[in-house]
Amino acid sequence: MQCFPSLVLALSSLLGALALLQLSLYLRVPSRYGKHEERPCRRGRLPARCAWFLQELPAFLVPALLLALRGPPRLEPLGCRLLCCLFCWHYFYRTFIYPFFTRGRPFPLQLLFFGMLFCIYNGFLQGYYLIYCAEYPNDWCTDIRFTSGLLLFLLGMGINIHSDLLLRQLRKPGEVTYKIPQGGLFTYVSGANYFGEIVEWFGFAIATWSLPAFAFAFFTLCCIGPRAYHHHRYYLKTFTDYPKSRKALIPFVF
Ligand code: NDX
């Protein structure tokens, strides 16, 4: 396969446009899954474990397939290989680990379908760019953009995984009620898992210094930023003893 820079530009721009569309659609009303589903029922839904596995799988499989299709020399230099591994590592976690521990409610099939399409699209864009187009100098691993981006990525991933774990521990198996999240970054924000994910993808964008990765980080911000705000409002409305000093997404700020 060859690199077509115009294809990368077109797909990244479309991702940026989808981010704005996402923001305009879900700023006022939250996407209807989890705590924002008005009347959750079993019809048209898949168990959360199965749904998250199917939804996220393409984001892992598509880059892995692109990598397998690439003939030698495979991903030179080291910086490029590491960056591709970071993306796959995240989606390995999200596809093969996260779903098997989730205690979430059944997920709507319609959103699952669009979520899968999105993961195919983004998996292709990030994988295609890193595997067929990216060119980094041999010493990229020591570049300040790579090292600072990598640190942010790891910090964000740590916060995200830890926060998802804290949410999971709020429920016993089979339970579907909502409680006030406590501990970790939840002490400061209602959307601690989302904050981690956003930091992670901006770290990835800085480390790759690429248009597709910045477009994806922007999409993530537009997608789960408003959702954190809706979670925050939900908690304030539902729990009278909800900590008043807690912000929606960014500690001490917003
Ligand atoms: N999936 C990313 N748009 C999305 C699915 C929906 O991974 O067509 C974006 C993702 C997709 C969306 C995806 C992209 C845009 C789509 C949209 C559908 C339509 C939309 C395709 C792909 C679209 C246009 C038109 C623009 C193209 O019962 P429950 O499930 O609520 O339980 C929850 C539990 N929990 C609690 N338990 C007890 N007490 C409490 N107080 C609790 N609060 C929560 O914790 C869950 O089991 C669990 C986590 O819940 P929640 O709501 O905090 O997180 P959730 O939104 O489920 O995300 C889970 C993780 C999290 O780490 C997050 O960072 C990450 O996935 N994520 C999520 C969404 C997008 C994303 C990452 C990203 O953009 N990078």
Side-chain angles (χ1 to χ4, degrees):
M1 207 184 284
Q2 249 181 294
C3 173
F4 295 102
S6 50
L7 178 66
V8 173
L9 180 65
L11 293 180
S12 305
S13 310
L14 182 59
L15 186 53
L18 284 178
L20 294 176
L21 178 64
Q22 178 76 19
L23 192 64
S24 66
L25 288 178
Y26 297 107
L27 195 57
R28 278 157 189 247
V29 273
S31 44
R32 299 280 179 212
Y33 69 92
K35 55 172 75 71
H36 304 295
E37 259 199 290
E38 266 151 14
R39 278 191 217 105
C41 61
R42 296 233 162 245
R43 212 152 34 97
R45 275 153 188 77
L46 219 55
R49 288 184 179 182
C50 190
W52 278 91
F53 172 76
L54 289 176
Q55 178 181 253
E56 306 291 318
L57 184 64
F60 175 79
L61 274 190
V62 172
L65 199 70
L66 288 175
L67 194 58
L69 288 176
R70 184 183 165 120
R74 290 185 188 273
L75 286 198
E76 296 294 338
L78 177 64
C80 198
R81 252 180 286 160
L82 281 175
L83 290 167
C84 198
C85 285
L86 291 185
F87 187 82
C88 290
W89 183 22
H90 171 94
Y91 279 103
F92 181 84
Y93 162 74
R94 187 65 75 218
T95 307
F96 297 104
I97 300 176
Y98 176 80
F100 293 97
F101 292 101
T102 182
R103 290 175 184 166
R105 294 177 177 201
F107 196 88
L109 273 172
Q110 198 188 0
L111 293 189
L112 166 66
F113 174 73
F114 286 116
M116 271 181 89
L117 285 185
F118 177 81
C119 287
I120 294 173
Y121 182 92
N122 189 48
F124 176 79
L125 174 59
Q126 307 300 330
Y128 177 72
Y129 175 78
L130 281 173
I131 295 165
Y132 292 97
C133 301
E135 283 178 18
Y136 293 102
N138 284 330
D139 59 355
W140 184 249
C141 289
T142 56
D143 190 288
I144 182 75
R145 287 165 289 182
F146 180 84
T147 49
S148 59
L150 178 64
L151 277 179
L152 273 182
F153 178 90
L154 294 175
L155 176 73
M157 191 172 194
I159 294 173
N160 178 258
I161 292 177
H162 181 238
S163 309
D164 277 339
L165 175 79
L166 292 175
L167 284 176
R168 193 157 59 235
Q169 287 172 343
L170 290 173
R171 286 177 178 167
K172 296 189 186 84
E175 233 185 352
V176 284
T177 51
Y178 292 103
K179 297 169 190 161
I180 300 180
Q182 306 285 2
L185 222 71
F186 283 112
T187 312
Y188 306 101
V189 286
S190 302
N193 52 342
Y194 294 150
F195 174 77
E197 180 107 16
I198 291 167
V199 169
E200 190 180 344
W201 290 117
F202 272 98
F204 182 72
I206 294 169
T208 56
W209 209 247
S210 70
L211 185 63
F214 274 105
F216 178 44
F218 179 58
F219 181 89
T220 300
L221 179 68
C222 294
C223 178
I224 56 184
R227 199 165 159 80
Y229 165 73
H230 290 298
H231 277 17
H232 188 65
R233 282 183 35 156
Y234 169 89
Y235 287 132
L236 287 173
K237 222 168 60 184
T238 311
F239 303 105
T240 46
D241 55 341
Y242 196 70
K244 295 283 175 289
S245 60
R246 211 177 273 191
K247 303 286 180 192
L249 181 65
I250 304 168
F252 311 113
V253 182
F254 169 74

